[in-house]
Amino acid sequence: MALLCRPSWCLLHRCCQRSALLLVARQQRLSSSASPSPLSKFILYLTERFYDVEMLVTWKAQLKGNQIQKKNNFYGYTQSLYGSNIASAFFVLNLGGGVRFTGHSDWFRANKRGKFSWDFLKHKETSLEEIDLSYTIVNYRGLANLEKQHHLQILKLQGCSEVDDWFLAGLYIFQDTLEELDISHCPRITAGGLAALGNLRKLKRLNVSSLPRISTPGLVIILLEDMLPQCQIIADNYDHSLRQEDGGYTEEELKDRRRGTGTSSEPRGVI
């Protein structure tokens, strides 16, 4: 349950108070001897316990936030005992993800109960080549556990609720190795965060499908293609028609203008 801001809580509290008073007054007008209706009793009860409920919701949100931060803590102790490769793999597996070591085809993954095989400890001297953190709660803080993976080529972050623009900016640590990146269905990513991906010089495949905070997908995709000309951009589940804020051009016209081949100096009218 999302935490509401304080003004919204106060407004809701006043509404409950007013509703309770109106119901009680109406009940009294109808019958001075009759007891309040069940609905008015319920609203009165909520009004009296409103701030208790608010405190409970606040505590629940704080607990969830603390849990996310704890899961993304730096695994320094594990790194000191087993090295950076094992610490990185342990971090990913603890989050419910999967890893594949360089030169190996087999995967180590956590099951639905969060259990996984400890055989990955045999790969102390082998770096990670592929990491799948899809639908986990990895965030910017957790990137510190992966920064020594200098041979990482594929990173999957599909549906990660905590991956945001700060996270994308932190991916520069893989700028010399990362070839594939999947950030589809991540609700916090904006167009500003996608601009940071220009640091990934070796990127060959980028999936940006279904990013709900991208308001002008047509223009964003064109800019990504221009910024990463060697990269295949995958962008499904969008309305690719450009809006008026994109200048009124079609996608092909914008591509031509960016190549310097456009014939018109004025934007086409939008109907």
Side-chain angles (χ1 to χ4, degrees):
M1 182 178 181
L3 178 62
L4 298 177
C5 59
R6 189 75 183 184
S8 299
W9 277 106
C10 293
L11 180 61
L12 182 58
H13 187 207
R14 288 196 296 269
C15 290
C16 288
Q17 285 180 322
R18 176 176 293 182
S19 299
L21 291 174
L22 289 174
L23 282 171
V24 172
R26 182 182 178 185
Q27 188 71 29
Q28 289 178 345
R29 287 198 305 269
L30 294 175
S31 175
S32 58
S33 60
S35 60
S37 66
L39 179 60
S40 61
K41 287 182 178 180
F42 178 69
I43 295 180
L44 281 172
Y45 176 82
L46 288 181
T47 303
E48 294 170 355
R49 300 291 188 272
F50 189 86
Y51 289 113
D52 294 335
V53 174
E54 179 187 11
M55 184 175 64
L56 180 61
V57 172
T58 302
W59 173 80
K60 183 179 179 182
Q62 290 176 345
L63 184 63
K64 181 180 178 181
N66 292 338
Q67 182 183 14
I68 291 174
Q69 294 305 319
K70 184 178 180 181
K71 285 280 190 178
N72 284 277
N73 279 342
F74 180 59
Y75 282 37
Y77 181 70
T78 304
Q79 189 172 120
S80 65
L81 289 179
Y82 299 99
S84 59
N85 296 327
I86 297 301
S88 295
F90 189 42
F91 165 71
V92 173
L93 292 170
N94 266 338
L95 281 180
V99 299
R100 184 176 62 82
F101 289 89
T102 302
H104 295 267
S105 59
D106 54 323
W107 276 80
F108 293 93
R109 289 186 180 276
N111 60 24
K112 294 181 178 180
R113 300 178 60 186
K115 306 297 182 182
F116 48 85
S117 170
W118 290 90
D119 290 343
F120 74 94
L121 292 173
K122 300 176 183 179
H123 299 280
K124 182 177 180 180
E125 304 301 327
T126 310
S127 61
L128 300 179
E129 184 174 312
E130 188 169 356
I131 294 176
D132 186 357
L133 282 163
S134 298
Y135 299 100
T136 66
I137 55 173
V138 64
N139 66 8
Y140 176 80
R141 188 176 183 179
L143 273 176
N145 292 294
L146 306 176
E147 62 183 2
K148 293 189 177 181
Q149 296 308 311
H150 302 305
H151 296 88
L152 184 65
Q153 295 184 8
I154 302 175
L155 179 60
K156 298 178 181 178
L157 301 165
Q158 183 182 30
C160 291
S161 59
E162 301 299 318
V163 168
D164 55 11
D165 294 347
W166 282 104
F167 190 101
L168 297 189
L171 293 180
Y172 74 92
I173 58 179
F174 308 123
Q175 60 183 348
D176 296 323
T177 63
L178 196 64
E179 296 182 358
E180 294 187 23
L181 176 64
D182 185 350
I183 53 174
S184 59
H185 301 273
C186 291
R188 296 192 177 191
I189 291 177
T190 70
L194 293 177
L197 300 181
N199 296 320
L200 304 178
R201 300 189 295 264
K202 298 293 184 68
L203 204 62
K204 297 178 181 179
R205 183 182 175 91
L206 173 63
N207 192 338
V208 293
S209 302
S210 300
L211 299 180
R213 297 189 66 182
I214 302 300
S215 59
T216 55
L219 179 59
V220 169
I221 293 165
I222 291 172
L223 295 176
L224 283 173
E225 291 174 343
D226 194 51
M227 184 172 62
L228 300 166
Q230 78 288 353
C231 182
Q232 176 190 4
I233 309 297
I234 300 172
D236 299 326
N237 301 323
Y238 286 119
D239 177 8
H240 288 277
S241 60
L242 297 181
R243 301 183 182 183
Q244 186 168 358
E245 54 262 42
D246 300 332
Y249 298 103
T250 66
E251 291 191 30
E252 290 302 321
E253 287 172 338
L254 273 172
K255 288 181 180 178
D256 290 341
R257 288 179 63 83
R258 294 195 67 82
R259 298 189 193 105
T261 59
T263 58
S264 175
S265 60
E266 296 296 329
R268 187 172 56 87
V270 179
I271 299 179

